[in-house]
Amino acid sequence: MIQSPQIVRVARDGITREAEVAWSFDNVAWTVEIRSAGFGAEVARADDAFEALCRIREELEPYGWRIGVAGALPNVWPSGMARDQGGGLRAYRLSIRGGEDLVDTFEPVDPSVTVTLAEQRAEVDRLYEQARQHARPA
């Protein structure tokens, strides 16, 4: 598992910048903070780190920012167990067969391959539905 903090890339309007993303747990909640010269700092607290990342994305995405972390890929979403027991630090890469493998939520990726939270939720819902249909006996 990767360690906090991580240097990642963020992008908006074709311009890419470095950012530092950090996460921590204080025995009550998870805090995620991302800092970049492009937008300053955004901080969110939630029951798990993935949800805190989602809250930050909800703040930055309306301004066009994309955060280059695996947790923002279209086919990545944590299970309830990954959230409850692992703090949302790992999530599944999904396919129509279900969860294929685990990735680190804050693993750096190219921000150009990430999507908005709304797009991600729609794709995850589509994949879950296809997996349910795929699993049904004929």
Side-chain angles (χ1 to χ4, degrees):
M1 187 173 308
I2 64 173
Q3 299 298 308
S4 175
Q6 284 291 309
I7 300 298
V8 300
R9 291 182 292 157
V10 294
R12 181 178 84 166
D13 299 330
I15 298 170
T16 302
R17 297 182 180 268
E18 280 194 352
E20 182 180 82
V21 62
W23 57 95
S24 61
F25 182 66
D26 65 8
N27 293 321
V28 176
W30 284 88
T31 300
V32 173
E33 179 176 4
I34 185 163
R35 292 181 172 277
S36 173
F39 52 77
E42 286 289 333
V43 180
R45 285 177 56 84
D47 289 337
D48 64 73
F50 188 88
E51 182 61 30
L53 172 64
C54 290
R55 290 177 183 178
I56 289 174
R57 291 173 62 199
E58 287 173 335
E59 294 298 318
L60 294 175
E61 289 174 354
Y63 299 100
W65 288 105
R66 299 294 176 268
I67 302 171
V69 294
L73 292 171
N75 64 333
V76 170
W77 201 262
S79 66
M81 184 180 294
R83 290 179 145 191
D84 291 343
Q85 295 180 359
L89 293 177
R90 304 214 2 120
Y92 282 98
R93 186 179 312 274
L94 304 171
S95 76
I96 63 168
R97 292 178 299 281
E100 292 288 309
D101 59 348
L102 283 168
V103 298
D104 290 321
T105 298
F106 297 104
E107 176 184 332
V109 300
D110 186 333
S112 70
V113 298
T114 65
V115 295
T116 67
L117 186 55
E119 292 167 327
Q120 183 181 21
R121 284 182 173 142
E123 178 62 6
V124 166
D125 287 347
R126 185 187 72 77
L127 288 168
Y128 278 141
E129 181 56 32
Q130 283 189 332
R132 277 191 286 279
Q133 291 175 1
H134 187 261
R136 289 184 188 143

